Amino acid sequence: METDASRKCTKVAAMLADWANGSFECAAPCRQCAVTEIPAPGRPTRPLLVDPRRLAPRGLGTLEGRIALAHAVAHIEFNAINLACDAVYRFREMPPDFLGDFIAVAADEARHFSMLEKRLRDMGSHYGALDAHDGLWQMAVRTGHDPLVRMALVPRVLEARGLDVTPGMIERLRAVGDATSADCLAVILAEEVEHVAKGTRWFHYLCAARSLEPDATFLELAAQYAPRALRGPFNAPDRIAAGFSAAELAGLAQMP
C-alpha cells in the first residue's frame, strides 16, 4: 500500500533481505488471518489512469516516442511490484518456497522500475509525466480468489506477453540508435523469463494438487480470462525456456 514509488522499491529490497536472513516469515497465526480485498494498491497520484484506447502509440524515431515507450514499460514494472507483493500477501497458505519466489520477483520488478525511472530522467522526463492504464491490477482483482488462476493469468499470460513483444522493441530501439534503452529492456527480458518460469512451476504444482491436466487447464483459463492477450506471434524459444509445452504453444496459435 506504499504510495511513493521510491520508498516502495526500498521496502521491497528490505523485504527480500529479511527473507534471505530468516527474519521475515509467514507463521501459522498469520496464515490464518483474513485476507483483505485491495481494490487499488498504493501508487502515486500520477500517472493518471485512463482507458487504454486513449494511449496513442508513438514512433520510436523521436525522443517523445522513446520516452513514451520507457514510461509504458516502467508502469508495467511498477504494477508488477504490486502484483508480486499481492501474491505473497494473498496466497499465504502456499508453501514457503512460493513466498520466497514472489518476494524475489517483487525485488526484481522494483529494480527494473528503478532502472527505467533513471532512463526516463536521463531523457528529460519522469514516471508519472504521461498517462497510463490499470489493466494489470484489474487482472489481479479478477484472479484474487485462486492462486491457480493467478499463476495462469499473471505470469503465464500477462508477463509471458512481454516475452513476445520485447525482442521487437529492443531491435527497433537499436535501429534508431538508443542502445541504452535497448540494454534496459534486454535485462528485463532475460529476468522475465525466470519470472514466467516461476509462475509455471507453481501452476503445475497446483494442477497436480487438484488432479488437473495442466495444458488443457491453462488454455481454458487463458481463453476465459484474457483472450485478447493471446495474439501471436509468440516467442517460442523464451516461452519454452519459461516452461511452456509444445501443446500449449500449439493451442495458443489456434486460438481465434
Side-chain angles (χ1 to χ4, degrees):
M1 298 308 294
E2 172 60 60
T3 59
D4 181 271
S6 179
R7 287 199 298 267
K8 188 187 292 283
C9 292
T10 299
K11 288 180 177 181
V12 168
M15 181 167 65
L16 178 62
D18 288 345
W19 179 266
N21 67 29
S23 59
F24 179 102
E25 61 179 321
C26 191
C30 172
R31 290 171 182 264
Q32 296 166 8
C33 294
V35 175
T36 302
E37 294 303 315
I38 303 176
R43 51 195 170 200
T45 55
R46 289 184 178 274
L48 296 177
L49 301 180
V50 301
D51 189 303
R53 291 170 292 186
R54 291 177 54 188
L55 302 173
R58 305 183 193 183
L60 298 185
T62 66
L63 176 62
E64 292 76 14
R66 295 192 293 276
I67 287 172
L69 174 64
H71 191 279
V73 180
H75 183 66
I76 290 170
E77 299 301 316
F78 182 81
N79 275 273
I81 302 169
N82 288 328
L83 284 163
C85 289
D86 185 74
V88 175
Y89 167 73
R90 190 159 306 280
F91 305 124
R92 61 190 72 174
E93 74 280 3
M94 292 289 285
D97 283 353
F98 174 92
L99 307 179
D101 274 353
F102 283 91
I103 290 171
V105 168
D108 284 350
E109 307 293 16
R111 183 164 40 79
H112 296 169
F113 171 80
S114 297
M115 179 171 58
L116 289 164
E117 167 67 0
K118 180 181 184 303
R119 182 62 187 140
L120 283 168
R121 293 194 179 278
D122 288 346
M123 291 191 289
S125 188
H126 62 276
Y127 180 60
L130 302 174
D131 293 344
H133 68 83
D134 196 30
L136 290 174
W137 186 255
Q138 290 308 309
M139 183 61 80
V141 172
R142 292 179 65 200
T143 60
H145 63 288
D146 188 339
L148 183 145
V149 179
R150 174 70 64 86
M151 293 298 102
L153 271 296
V154 173
R156 306 195 83 233
V157 171
L158 299 186
E159 288 193 83
R161 186 65 185 147
L163 304 185
D164 300 330
V165 302
T166 304
M169 294 180 191
I170 293 171
E171 183 177 337
R172 292 194 296 275
L173 286 167
R174 295 202 189 282
V176 298
D178 190 350
T180 303
S181 295
D183 289 346
C184 289
L185 294 190
V187 170
I188 292 171
L189 175 62
E191 295 185 356
E192 293 294 345
V193 171
E194 179 59 26
H195 296 178
V196 179
K198 288 178 177 178
T200 297
R201 172 189 176 188
W202 292 107
F203 176 72
H204 286 173
Y205 168 89
L206 290 159
C207 284
R210 302 181 193 186
S211 299
L212 297 172
E213 198 287 313
D215 292 351
T217 300
F218 170 72
L219 293 170
E220 178 182 338
L221 290 171
Q224 177 184 348
Y225 281 85
R228 290 185 292 179
L230 299 171
R231 300 184 302 273
F234 300 106
N235 179 353
D238 279 346
R239 281 180 174 260
I240 289 170
F244 279 80
S245 69
E248 286 176 315
L249 293 177
L252 289 174
Q254 294 170 8
M255 284 191 175

